[in-house]
Amino acid sequence: MSDLTRRELLKAAGVAGAAALLPSGAQAQTTQKKELVVAQGGDISKFDPHFSTSSNDIRISFNIFDNLVSRHPDGKLYPALATEWKLTNPTTWTFKLRPGVKWHNGDPLTSADVKYSFERTWDPKVNTRVSTVFTTVERVEAPDPMTVVFTTKKPDPLLAARVAFYGGQIVPKKYVEAVGGDAFNAKPIGTGPVRFVSWTKDDRIVLEANADYFGGKPDFDRMIVRAIPETAPRIASLLKGEVDIITQLPPDHGERVATATTRMAGALYAGLYVLAVNSKVAPLDNPLVKQALSLAIDRELIVKELWRGRGIVPNSQIAKGDNHYDSSLPPLKYDPKEARDRLKKSGYKNEEVLIETTSGYTANDKPMSEAIVAMWRDIGVNAKVEVLEYSVRAQKNRDKTFKGLWWSDPTSTLSDPDGMFWRLLSPGGPQDYWRHAKFDELGDAARFSVDEKFRGRAYKEMTTIFLEHLPWIPVVQPYEDYGLQKYVEWTPNPNQQFEVRRFAFKFRRA
Amino acid sequence: MRAVAAFLATRLARALVAVWLVSTVVFVVMRLSGDPVPLLLPPDAPRSEYARVAKELGTDKPLPVQYGVFLGNALRGDFGRSIHFREPASHVVVGYLPATAELGLTAFALALIVAVPIGLVSAVRRNSLLDQVAMAVALVGQSAPTFFVGILLILLLSLKAGWLPTSGRGDWTNLVLPALTLGAFSMASIARLTRSALLEVLRADYVRTARAKGLRERVVVIKHALRNAAIPIVTITGLQFGTLLGGAVVTETVFAWPGIGRLAIQSIYNRDYPVVQCVVFLSALLFIVINLTVELIYGVLDPRIRPR
Amino acid sequence: MASSIPASVPAEAGVPSVAAAGGRVARRTRLLALGGGTFVALLLVVAAAAPYLAPHDPVRQSLRVRLAAPTLEGADGRAHPLGTDHLGRDVLSRTIFGARVSLVIGFAAVVVGSLVGATLGITAGYRGGWVDTVIMTVADAQLAFPFILLAIGIIAVLGPSFPTLIVVIGLSGWPGYARVLRAQVMVLRSREFVDAIHALGGTVVRIVSRHIVPNILSSLVVIGTLELARSIVLEATLSFLGLGIQPPTPSWGGMVQEGREYLDSAWWISTCPGLVLMLTSVAVSRTGDWLRDLLDPTLRGE
């Protein structure tokens, strides 16, 4: 009850303070708040970082847990739980751990935890969702409590980037082994800047700041994450001052957030929104059909109208901002006449082409699906949309049972093509529906080469093969927008990581 | 006394039959698509899990045995593990129950407080402007779809006027719009029924007698008419409480209110059948218990009505 | 549950104006009922003539004219009297076509419900005994339960399709018919002429079809109309929850759901179909009330 009163008081004080300062715009933009309130578009489903890759889960798990290495909003890698790392021989990386780090329950962090965490990700008995993240790693060893040694199967230039993203969160060996996976998920213990307090399903998550965090206590005492799935109420909560940051701000509503007290902040998404293709079923096994489908999409119109200009048209399967992005390639073409010709040439027999989409899980998924299906119908394709719930989609994703095309928003986890399209389209990867000998050979070689020039050439050739066979049909590289109160100083990460550590988040105080 | 016992017995028997019927429908529907086991486990469950649950449910045994197992489990509160939350389904459902209770009770109280006085006044001042306006509004309230009432209230009172929060559960301000929405139908029904019940009574003989005796109108109304109108009013009102449960599904969805109605919808979207089974069963139970209680009170209050 | 007062009110001491007011109210009530009936008739015409009346294709998207406010000259040069939705589809056209969906499903569900309900009700009333007890217990059990939960459970397993919807919505209402018809049949059955016909060798079917059915027809019509209103609202609710008619086929409930995201900016997407739905429900209910007062006032208070 006292929590409620304190919160009410702070809220009232905040509102009163802002109101009192209001007509002079500049002064309204500071606060004395000690509590950060975030509203996201869905509730978390799992706290266990190895079981969640959905953005609503990642936003929390990256703050309860730490990785060995951390990627900051500027795109570079910085020390986190590891203070240094180097390639000691072509297939060995050695990481030195930060001394004095404690788990939220007081236990000290040691290399045993790190070894345990990584082995857990690929342990078939645990069956995590991140089991394919570290397939390049042969084994992990902990020669002493402050050192971890990774041996990779072949030279891996990107290991440091790999451990920085999801799957690389470190979990406490003693605690997890003692209480078991389910209890760990119900009451997670990490090393991160916030610790878990409570979770009321479909309502809110309460986290409190970790005063002993090695990176410094975050700029608040408590953090509340509310789940507000409907857009209008989520935006209303921001405009009314009930929350400080909202996520998943659809482009249609960006203007509403540009007020005296609030603003929009966005980052070009480090990844692409693509229609992934089940290239095993007709007519999608025919490259000409896929090329026709791609040529029939008026991406400029989609960006202009559905995204209100908050996005760019991709030119290939490599996202802008990644290594080896080829800016000399033109954006993917829109040519309905050419599309019709190719469709005819392909021998298309009016088979049904289905887009299975969620509604709102990926931004604009349903509207884009409906728009694209209409564009395909215009060139004579028997196209249809089917709406699924997220969990059904997740299931089809796991079982690889999609019937046609579906939306995928692959994040470029390593800022490198290896962590984006190759991670997903490689043999045995999550979207393994299409194989091509040369493509596979090049992808494998590029993953294990430390020669960037060689890698560049390899990816260029892979792009050419890709554009002919289109295992994905890239549609847009959008901005990911958030709504903020003007007294929040925060930079969004391009890869959906929601950072509240001191280097990324601060309240502007008077 | 024997009459009371017989009355109780018939009502109880009917309630039990209702519960049994609902459980049967749930059982049948779950097996309509063939094997129920894949519906009850996460898709990545290992074979051993699959075999264990199959054995537990007795899917290799004949249907009547399966049904027995199902009923036995249901009575113990065991509906399996929620696929989405990875904890026992009954746990999850019970966790969402307080929110629905809060909403339902508030809606009901609100409906009563508003509707009964309006119904009474409308009856007493029959055909006045108040009466006609009130009954017109009540007519709309009874016919209007609950989900749209909610949407309209959000649009007008929250988004445009900014008086109240738009969704979610929090303090009392969050309760107002959902309670109004959920209570709208009941409010309208109770108002209309109170009015006609009182009108009915006001025309009765003993009222004429009281009037003929020269008693003042107010005394007539309060002492004689009300007391007799109370019984049907109470009954109808009590029965309305049960229907609130059905309306809760829609209201909770519109306002993102974290109650069992919303849980039911979310679980259906998530194909989380253990939770769906549990919610359906629990709601049926609740509803039937409430109705039974109301009928018992009714039976006790009015001895004339008891024989069927 | 009409609030109509007969024109002749027993004169009560000291309140002569009530009679006059009663007369006014009675006229007004009749006018309103007529208005309701007219609206329903109009709706039927609109639904039937939808392809000719709707100014645009209800499914055709036009990204250039998304979220347009009601206007006579949109960005595509055409009129959109009720605005456009998030895909540029004309709201008026979609509302008109939505009427088709609502009415078709509503009527079909009423047919299903009345057939099942009438059959079971007549059987229960005619046969009596344990058949009656069984049927009535099932009916009471179904009434004693928030049907929508069962409906969504069933649709979740079977998937939303036209036939499933019609059957589920139809079956949600059969107890209403059954109870009333059973009571009426019991009364009719007890009349001497039924026994007489039996004695003369008439079959059950003959008795039922010749003597019982004509007498319950009026009740069927009244209940059917009220059930139509309820079915239309139930279909809209299921579509709103995503368990009814699937996009892009327009349905009023589905349109309200689609407009939720834009409630504070493009409010017309949700409000227009919702208001039409509300009007339809009120009008059909009113018509049902009026029919009841006309055909069979004994049904009031049920």
Side-chain angles (χ1 to χ4, degrees), chain A residues 343-360:
Chain A
L343 192 66
K344 214 177 302 203
K345 242 195 325 199
S346 74
Y348 173 63
K349 293 189 215 36
N350 210 41
E351 297 103 317
E352 184 181 83
V353 170
L354 185 64
I355 299 186
E356 292 171 287
T357 174
T358 47
S359 177

Side-chain angles (χ1 to χ4, degrees), chain A residues 130-330:
Chain A
V130 295
S131 50
T132 53
V133 175
F134 298 110
T135 44
T136 56
V137 175
E138 170 85 49
R139 60 176 185 278
V140 185
E141 283 151 337
D144 68 64
M146 284 288 122
T147 309
V148 183
V149 177
F150 290 84
T151 307
T152 60
K153 295 174 186 154
K154 290 196 252 186
D156 180 3
L158 296 166
L159 186 69
R162 285 184 217 284
V163 306
F165 206 56
Y166 63 68
Q169 293 105 326
I170 307 297
V171 302
K173 170 179 164 134
K174 213 167 85 179
Y175 179 70
V176 178
E177 284 184 333
V179 304
D182 286 345
F184 172 62
N185 187 48
K187 277 178 106 80
I189 300 264
T191 55
V194 293
R195 64 165 64 107
F196 174 82
V197 175
S198 71
W199 177 34
T200 317
K201 295 192 177 68
D202 267 329
D203 193 6
R204 66 196 60 209
I205 304 166
V206 179
L207 306 163
E208 73 182 4
N210 177 5
D212 303 320
Y213 185 59
F214 67 80
K217 175 168 176 268
D219 193 22
F220 50 79
D221 289 339
R222 238 160 60 124
M223 176 172 156
I224 314 261
V225 181
R226 293 182 54 190
I228 307 186
E230 293 289 324
T231 310
R234 194 162 68 243
I235 295 180
S237 69
L238 179 75
L239 296 177
K240 285 195 198 175
E242 290 165 13
V243 307
D244 303 309
I245 302 179
I246 60 172
T247 70
Q248 290 140 317
L249 180 66
D252 276 339
H253 303 267
E255 318 155 332
R256 307 203 55 237
V257 170
T259 68
T261 53
T262 61
R263 67 183 174 99
M264 179 175 79
L268 186 64
Y269 175 55
L272 295 176
Y273 280 35
V274 307
L275 280 169
V277 187
N278 181 351
S279 301
K280 292 190 178 146
V281 300
L284 300 167
D285 52 355
N286 185 337
L288 281 171
V289 170
K290 286 183 276 185
Q291 290 168 23
L293 293 176
S294 178
L295 285 165
I297 301 179
D298 188 351
R299 294 172 179 79
E300 292 254 344
L301 182 66
I302 289 180
V303 169
K304 175 157 174 280
E305 297 296 339
L306 285 176
W307 292 90
R308 298 288 173 109
R310 300 289 297 161
I312 61 176
V313 178
N315 62 11
S316 65
Q317 79 281 20
I318 299 181
K320 181 162 179 203
D322 274 3
N323 300 338
H324 305 296
Y325 172 73
D326 188 353
S327 42
S328 71
L329 284 176

Side-chain angles (χ1 to χ4, degrees), chain A residues 103-132:
Chain A
W103 293 100
H104 293 151
N105 62 359
D107 290 346
L109 168 80
T110 69
S111 56
D113 297 310
V114 178
K115 179 170 151 78
Y116 174 76
S117 300
F118 282 94
E119 289 179 344
R120 185 174 188 253
T121 66
W122 60 70
D123 184 350
K125 285 203 293 287
V126 184
N127 202 5
T128 64
R129 297 268 164 281
V130 295
S131 50
T132 53

Side-chain angles (χ1 to χ4, degrees), chain B residues 14 17-18 21-22 25 29 32-33 126-127 132 135 139-140 143-145 147-148 151-152 154-155 159-160 192-193 195 245-246 249-250 253-254 264-265 268-269 273 280 283-284 287-288 291, chain C residues 1 5 9 12 18 21-22 25 28 137-138 140-141 143-146 148-150 152-154 156-158 233 236-237 240-241 256 260 263-264 267 270-271 274-275 277-278 281-282 285-286:
Chain B
R14 215 164 49 185
V17 169
L21 221 71
V22 168
V25 173
V29 169
L32 270 179
S33 38
R126 186 161 42 105
N127 295 338
Q132 292 175 47
M135 285 306 112
L139 178 65
V140 172
S143 324
F147 72 88
F148 189 62
I151 298 263
L152 267 185
I154 291 179
L155 176 62
L159 293 174
K160 292 290 182 206
R192 291 179 96 192
L193 289 164
R195 180 185 183 277
L245 202 56
V249 172
V250 171
T253 304
V254 170
I265 296 280
I268 285 171
Y269 290 161
Y273 291 110
V280 170
S283 315
F287 194 90
I288 287 161
N291 273 7
Chain C
M1 231 34 69
I5 315 274
V9 174
E12 279 154 10
V18 175
V25 170
R28 189 172 309 165
T137 311
V138 174
D140 285 339
L143 282 175
F145 180 68
I148 190 153
L149 275 176
L150 209 53
I152 58 188
I154 294 173
V157 175
L158 297 180
V233 170
T237 307
F240 175 78
L241 294 173
V256 174
R260 276 183 82 180
L263 209 51
D264 50 356
W267 51 267
S270 283
T271 344
L275 285 174
L277 173 66
M278 226 160 81
S281 176
V282 172
S285 303
R286 268 334 241 134

Side-chain angles (χ1 to χ4, degrees), chain B residues 3-127:
Chain B
V4 179
F7 178 77
L8 266 169
T10 45
R11 289 298 187 270
L12 194 62
R14 215 164 49 185
L16 287 173
V17 169
V19 173
W20 171 78
L21 221 71
V22 168
S23 64
T24 310
V25 173
V26 169
F27 178 80
V28 167
V29 169
M30 285 295 283
R31 277 153 185 74
L32 270 179
S33 38
D35 185 5
V37 180
L39 294 175
L40 299 168
L41 284 173
D44 56 342
R47 294 244 157 259
S48 54
E49 226 3 64
Y50 202 93
R52 183 185 70 84
V53 175
K55 187 142 177 278
E56 222 178 77
L57 292 181
T59 51
D60 51 337
K61 306 216 177 59
L63 225 51
V65 178
Q66 283 189 47
Y67 182 58
V69 170
F70 167 76
L71 265 187
N73 283 346
L75 289 171
R76 270 183 305 141
D78 178 7
F79 291 92
R81 252 167 88 85
S82 160
I83 298 172
H84 183 74
F85 294 105
R86 299 198 186 233
E87 44 177 286
S90 42
H91 256 219
V92 175
V93 175
V94 167
Y96 276 75
L97 211 43
T100 301
E102 185 184 347
L103 181 60
L105 286 168
T106 313
F108 186 60
L110 204 59
L112 274 182
I113 293 171
V114 170
V116 171
I118 289 188
L120 290 176
V121 174
S122 294
V124 169
R125 292 182 203 279
R126 186 161 42 105
N127 295 338

Side-chain angles (χ1 to χ4, degrees), chain B residues 182-196:
Chain B
L182 184 57
F185 181 85
S186 296
M187 225 182 271
S189 305
I190 295 174
R192 291 179 96 192
L193 289 164
T194 306
R195 180 185 183 277
S196 44

